[in-house]
Amino acid sequence: MAVSLQKGEKISLSKEAGGELTQVKLGLGWDVFQGPQEKKGGFLGKLFGGGSGGDSIDLDASCIMFDANKQAVDAIWFSQLKSKDGSIVHTGDNRTGDGDGDDEVINVDLSKVPANVVSLVFTVNSFTGQTFETVENAFCRIVNANNNTEVARYNLSSQGTHTAMIMAKVYRHNNEWKMHAIGETASGRTFHDLMPAITPYA
């Protein structure tokens, strides 16, 4: 059974998975906040579009790779869906949010992450500049890609006037991979705008 993380908590991925993890999927999801009228109308499960006032929101997941000096080595986002070394692949930008579950997925082959990369920081941005006042039920989760079982999940209380979130970090420690639930709010249309806020967590 997947572990449910609290803000600031750190876990060993291999310990929670019951063995070494090599192929993982980091899924990120969120709902558009629904007012009472939308709930009565049966639109509660609809993501992005159909929120209050008929607004939609385009949230973008990114992954930034850092070395031991907290210098960014590479970044995977909607303008570069694959890391230069091939170890991390973004499945693409979801602009509609139709369906349940993960809205965006980033696949990571931990066995291929270069040795000089010590941490992977995952963020979500509102590219359209809309605030998280219209976002609810945000989460990120780690899935063992070999058997599609959920290893860990971090649910966030994320509503507010911010336009981005630093979600979580997957990092090396004593020759094993761990996960740190960060959940810090920030502002910016892309991860570039967040770098001053991201770097202290790298």
Side-chain angles (χ1 to χ4, degrees):
M1 186 173 178
V3 62
S4 180
L5 296 176
Q6 303 299 315
K7 182 174 179 176
E9 192 173 354
K10 300 176 182 179
I11 59 163
S12 164
L13 292 180
S14 58
K15 182 178 179 181
E16 297 300 334
E20 185 180 3
L21 277 179
T22 53
Q23 305 276 343
V24 300
K25 297 190 291 186
L26 190 113
L28 302 114
W30 48 81
D31 294 346
V32 165
F33 177 70
Q34 306 289 344
Q37 287 186 322
E38 285 85 352
K39 289 183 180 179
K40 290 178 183 176
F43 295 110
L44 182 60
K46 190 173 181 183
L47 310 182
F48 293 101
S52 300
D55 292 336
S56 61
I57 184 168
D58 179 17
L59 296 185
D60 300 306
S62 303
C63 173
I64 304 93
M65 308 172 75
F66 288 93
D67 64 17
N69 297 316
K70 296 194 174 187
Q71 296 296 310
V73 175
D74 202 356
I76 299 86
W77 59 307
F78 64 81
S79 285
Q80 182 186 307
L81 295 176
K82 187 176 183 179
S83 61
K84 295 181 179 68
D85 56 72
S87 64
I88 302 176
V89 179
H90 194 310
T91 59
D93 187 16
N94 180 344
R95 296 184 180 181
T96 65
D98 289 339
D100 295 325
D102 302 326
D103 292 311
E104 294 196 8
V105 175
I106 297 175
N107 295 303
V108 182
D109 186 340
L110 295 172
S111 67
K112 292 184 179 179
V113 174
N116 67 310
V117 174
V118 299
S119 65
L120 314 171
V121 179
F122 297 87
T123 65
V124 171
N125 297 75
S126 170
F127 184 75
T128 53
Q130 291 168 285
T131 71
F132 275 61
E133 289 174 305
T134 57
V135 175
E136 63 179 356
N137 302 328
F139 69 86
C140 63
R141 67 187 190 122
I142 291 280
V143 175
N144 183 343
N146 291 323
N147 56 17
N148 220 34
T149 58
E150 185 175 294
V151 177
R153 175 181 287 257
Y154 176 37
N155 294 314
L156 300 96
S157 300
S158 58
Q159 285 184 301
T161 57
H162 50 283
T163 58
M165 288 205 74
I166 305 168
M167 302 281 274
K169 175 174 75 170
V170 173
Y171 64 103
R172 299 184 203 259
H173 182 70
N174 293 336
N175 296 317
E176 67 173 324
W177 287 99
K178 295 193 171 188
M179 181 179 180
H180 176 198
I182 298 174
E184 287 296 327
T185 61
S187 292
R189 297 180 69 223
T190 70
F191 78 89
H192 300 90
D193 303 323
L194 306 185
M195 289 305 289
I198 296 171
T199 304
Y201 293 99

